[in-house]
């Protein structure tokens, strides 16, 4: 079975029922089917062949989803470009993927130039997004309508590539993760099995880029006859307004977004009687904001998921019934949950041997949605997938009940005075202080200890005077002393904001003392 096999069933089942909503735009299942058929046929008639790569650079929109469906039906490989990429990053991915077609939105008119449009045999297609066509560039809607609406024969199997999903490139150039139709379907089935939608017509509010995190939730939503309510850009107050207007059952976001929503005045008064699940993932959620979210939205409403680009979205899950403040196991709130039903997780040492129960090591896993490998990188693939197990480079431990606790990336572990210190452990304590908005902990070279624990911190209400922030930072250092002992930060760097990649994850490698407003503590 491939993705078009799943899509083919939708119109007979759901027909004119709503499928997609974005602002004032609405699209039914029948309309999505017709338009994606037309686009698929037009793409194949233009000379593209099954297996060719098509790069797509769009803000969130209904067009994102109809393009995804069309590429799947045509057997073309989508190359996902995050809307927040720079020109140089987009140029690298276009060249590395050897994309033969580049579809971009009018919102990128000021960024796209000849280097992106005329890269070798590459052609371009412009999505107008309500703006007039541009001379010399084929218009998306006109091109789509040139194709016929007949179903496309999907003469390929489940191992055919569905997309190249590029990593964030925090440890070098971005790598193209090859995800097959098999992988995409298993992600969809996993989500349907554990988080839904449960009923036809359920509405999910999607605000992350559809090119990445939110995009994985579209297929299961459609397979169950649900509705995708799409936000073009994230705005915390607008999230609450849309969730109330559409009475959504599910909200998908990342921890940074959830923390910003919690700061919206009156958030606790917003009526969301149908809300069943707020699904968060992509980065750890600090315990204190998580407790606040449970108090605001109610026990049992939050669901944490853990995944990687190489095995997307569904590795472990911390269910709603495990998000309770009255639980006898409060420590589980800091876990990533237990493995999905189709996934096996282990923790191993550097030799690949399982550590003792409760011991710390690298998280490795296997599951049916594992990537096919890295695009044009067989050596890196062989390093990452060994004997069928994906080595995640995430450090963690598993407790006696199977809950997985993530402790940070393998290359971020701090070795100070011969001890291994997990950044997550220090970050969780910092977030307990009422003044801390965001925190990131890492090790700095230290002549005496090898590495010293340091923290980069953004305060919730930065003082207009530097001395005010510095006083809070000194208070914070004292706050950690009894709670962390020798693991406490040696110094704190005050920051206006922490650097993040296009997926919203904090980029620790970009944190440098020179970027700080002030340094409090021992000499840097």
């Amino acid at each position: 079975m491939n993705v078009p096999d799943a899509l083919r069933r939708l119109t007979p089942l759901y027909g004119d029922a709503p499928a997609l909503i974005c602002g004032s735009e609405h699209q039914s299942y029948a309309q999505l089917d017709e338009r994606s058929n037309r686009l698929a046929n037009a793409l194949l008639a233009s000379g593209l062949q099954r297996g060719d790569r098509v790069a797509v650079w769009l803000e969130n929109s209904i067009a994102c989803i109809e393009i995804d469906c069309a590429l799947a039906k045509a057997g073309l490989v989508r190359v996902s470009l995050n809307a927040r990429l720079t020109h140089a990053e987009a140029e690298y991915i276009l060249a590395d993927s050897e994309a033969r077609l580049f579809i971009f939105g009018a919102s990128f008119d000021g960024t796209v130039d000849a280097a992106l449009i005329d890269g070798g045999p590459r052609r371009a297609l412009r999505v107008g997004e309500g703006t007039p066509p541009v001379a010399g560039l084929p218009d998306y809607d006109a091109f789509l309508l040139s194709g016929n609406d007949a179903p496309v024969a999907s003469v390929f199997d489940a191992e055919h590539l569905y997309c190249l999903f590029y990593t964030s490139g925090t440890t070098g150039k971005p790598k193209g993760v090859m995800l097959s139709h098999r992988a995409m379907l298993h992600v969809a089935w996993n989500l349907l099995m554990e988080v839904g939608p449960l009923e036809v017509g359920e509405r999910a509010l999607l605000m992350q880029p559809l090119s990445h995190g939110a995009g994985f939730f579209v297929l299961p939503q459609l397979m169950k006859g649900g509705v995708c309510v799409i936000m073009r850009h994230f705005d915390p107050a607008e999230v609450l307004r849309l969730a109330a207007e559409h009475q959504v059952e599910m909200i998908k976001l990342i921890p940074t977004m959830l923390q910003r929503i919690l700061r919206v005045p009156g958030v606790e008064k917003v009526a969301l009687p149908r809300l069943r699940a707020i699904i968060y993932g992509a980065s750890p959620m600090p315990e204190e904001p998580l407790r606040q979210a449970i108090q605001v939205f109610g026990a049992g409403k939050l669901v944490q998921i853990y995944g990687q680009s190489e095995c997307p979205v569904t590795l472990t899950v911390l269910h709603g019934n495990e998000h309770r403040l009255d639980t006898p196991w409060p420590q589980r709130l800091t876990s990533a949950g237990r493995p999905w039903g189709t996934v096996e997780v282990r923790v191993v040492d550097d030799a690949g041997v399982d550590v003792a129960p409760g011991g710390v090591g690298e998280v490795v896993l296997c599951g049916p949605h594992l990537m096919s490998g890295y695009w044009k990188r067989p050596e890196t693939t062989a390093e990452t997938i060994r004997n069928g197990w994906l080595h995640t480079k995430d450090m963690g431990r598993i407790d006696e009940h199977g809950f997985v606790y993530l402790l940070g990336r393998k290359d971020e572990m701090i070795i100070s005075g011969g001890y291994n210190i997990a950044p997550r452990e220090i970050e969780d304590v910092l977030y307990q202080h009422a003044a801390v908005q965001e925190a990131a902990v890492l090790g700095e070279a230290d002549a005496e200890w090898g590495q010293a624990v340091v923290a980069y911190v953004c305060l919730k209400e930065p003082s207009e005077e530097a001395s005010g922030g510095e006083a809070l930072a000194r208070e914070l250092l004292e706050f950690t002393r009894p709670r962390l002992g020798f693991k406490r930060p040696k110094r704190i760097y005050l920051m206006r904001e922490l650097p993040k990649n296009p997926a919203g994850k904090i980029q620790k490698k970009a944190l440098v003392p020179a970027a700080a407003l002030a340094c409090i503590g021992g000499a840097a």
Side-chain angles (χ1 to χ4, degrees):
M1 188 173 182
N2 56 35
V3 172
D5 292 330
L7 296 175
R8 195 174 299 117
R9 304 177 180 196
L10 302 182
T11 297
L13 285 172
Y14 310 120
D16 293 329
L20 309 173
I21 298 173
C22 184
S24 60
E25 269 192 282
H26 294 66
Q27 196 170 96
S28 69
Y29 279 86
Q31 289 169 326
L32 173 60
D33 187 39
E34 180 198 347
R35 284 179 64 85
S36 58
N37 281 346
R38 288 187 181 279
L39 181 57
N41 283 309
L43 290 167
L44 292 174
S46 73
L48 293 175
Q49 299 179 357
R50 287 183 172 86
D52 283 344
R53 274 75 57 206
V54 176
V56 182
W57 203 11
L58 292 173
E59 302 276 6
N60 280 2
S61 63
I62 286 177
C64 289
I65 295 176
E66 65 186 22
I67 290 169
D68 284 357
C69 292
L71 295 178
K73 289 177 176 180
L76 298 167
V77 181
R78 187 192 79 200
V79 179
S80 306
L81 296 183
N82 193 300
R84 294 176 61 187
L85 292 180
T86 65
H87 180 282
E89 290 166 332
E91 187 173 13
Y92 170 80
I93 291 172
L94 284 167
D96 185 71
S97 66
E98 300 171 0
R100 289 198 58 205
L101 177 67
F102 176 36
I103 304 175
F104 69 94
S107 52
F108 297 101
D109 282 349
T111 306
V112 171
D113 61 12
L116 299 182
I117 294 174
D118 300 324
R122 189 186 311 132
R123 293 172 290 147
L125 193 59
R126 180 181 178 272
V127 181
E129 299 174 337
T131 67
V134 171
L137 280 175
D139 176 71
Y140 170 76
D141 280 305
F143 180 82
L144 179 150
L145 293 173
S146 72
N148 69 67
D149 63 357
V152 184
S154 55
V155 289
F156 52 88
D157 63 26
E159 292 307 314
H160 186 86
L161 282 190
Y162 175 88
C163 73
L164 290 184
F165 192 83
Y166 275 80
T167 63
S168 56
T170 54
T171 58
K173 290 290 187 182
K175 299 183 291 290
V177 173
M178 297 190 290
L179 296 178
S180 64
H181 284 247
R182 176 254 310 156
M184 294 299 297
L185 283 170
H186 275 288
V187 170
W189 289 328
N190 280 346
L191 288 170
L192 282 168
M193 176 174 65
E194 297 283 4
V195 298
L198 304 180
E199 302 287 345
V200 173
E202 280 198 9
R203 300 189 170 207
L205 181 57
L206 306 176
M207 63 204 69
Q208 293 173 256
L210 290 170
S211 60
H212 285 69
F216 290 100
F217 285 77
V218 172
L219 184 57
Q221 196 72 11
L222 296 178
M223 288 168 69
K224 189 65 176 182
V227 183
C228 297
V229 181
I230 303 161
M231 289 189 69
R232 189 167 172 84
H233 302 111
F234 171 72
D235 176 88
E238 184 69 0
V239 169
L240 295 172
R241 190 192 70 77
L242 286 173
E245 176 187 337
H246 294 285
Q247 286 300 298
V248 301
E249 283 82 6
M250 187 175 78
I251 297 173
K252 172 65 180 76
L253 40 62
I254 60 175
T256 301
M257 292 174 171
L258 182 53
Q259 290 178 72
R260 290 181 61 188
I261 290 168
L262 291 171
R263 299 202 297 273
V264 174
V267 58
E268 69 284 350
K269 298 177 183 177
V270 178
L272 300 172
R274 297 177 64 91
L275 182 65
R276 182 175 51 77
I278 298 176
I279 301 174
Y280 67 96
S283 62
M285 179 73 176
E287 184 177 356
E288 288 307 305
L290 182 55
R291 287 178 172 275
Q292 182 188 354
I294 294 171
Q295 291 171 337
V296 168
F297 295 106
K301 294 289 179 68
L302 281 96
V303 178
Q304 181 188 169
I305 58 173
Y306 161 55
Q308 287 201 329
S309 301
E310 293 83 351
C311 204
V313 179
T314 54
L315 297 180
T316 64
V317 57
L318 189 68
H319 286 292
N321 60 11
E322 292 156 342
H323 282 80
R324 307 186 69 89
L325 300 181
D326 58 356
T327 175
W329 303 284
Q331 72 277 8
R332 288 181 183 171
L333 277 181
T334 64
S335 80
R338 289 186 275 198
W340 231 270
T342 60
V343 175
E344 189 172 356
V345 176
R346 298 160 50 215
V347 173
V348 302
D349 61 20
D350 288 340
V353 177
D354 287 9
V355 302
V360 174
E362 182 182 6
V363 176
V364 301
L365 54 95
C366 64
H369 55 307
L370 189 64
M371 69 172 179
S372 303
Y374 293 115
W375 176 251
K376 299 191 298 188
R377 296 188 184 217
E379 297 85 1
T380 309
T381 300
E383 291 171 7
T384 304
I385 302 177
R386 303 175 217 161
N387 299 317
W389 290 84
L390 176 73
H391 287 246
T392 66
K393 297 185 179 178
D394 283 335
M395 299 297 286
R397 62 180 178 85
I398 302 175
D399 72 12
E400 67 273 22
H401 297 289
F403 286 83
V404 178
Y405 295 78
L406 300 175
L407 302 174
R409 299 290 287 169
K410 191 172 184 178
D411 60 357
E412 291 174 356
M413 292 296 285
I414 302 166
I415 303 175
S416 184
Y419 287 93
N420 288 339
I421 299 174
R424 173 73 188 270
E425 181 182 0
I426 289 87
E427 289 163 359
D428 281 343
V429 170
L430 290 169
Y431 275 109
Q432 291 174 21
H433 194 285
V436 173
Q437 180 61 51
E438 285 188 316
V441 169
L442 61 155
E444 276 187 1
D446 185 273
E448 182 178 0
W449 299 101
Q451 282 186 309
V453 177
V454 301
Y456 287 77
V457 173
C458 296
L459 300 175
K460 286 182 179 176
E461 296 180 7
S463 172
E464 293 297 323
E465 299 178 6
S467 58
E470 291 174 14
L472 274 174
R474 291 191 183 91
E475 178 185 315
L476 189 55
L477 283 173
E478 289 306 309
F479 176 82
T480 64
R481 188 181 298 275
R483 293 166 174 81
L484 290 169
F486 76 92
K487 297 179 183 179
R488 68 186 183 276
K490 183 176 181 180
R491 48 189 166 268
I492 289 177
Y493 295 105
L494 289 178
M495 304 284 288
R496 292 193 193 280
E497 60 181 358
L498 300 185
K500 297 180 179 68
N501 67 16
K505 296 180 183 179
I506 293 171
Q507 290 187 296
K508 290 190 176 182
K509 293 186 182 298
L511 291 168
V512 292
L517 301 173
C519 174
I520 294 85

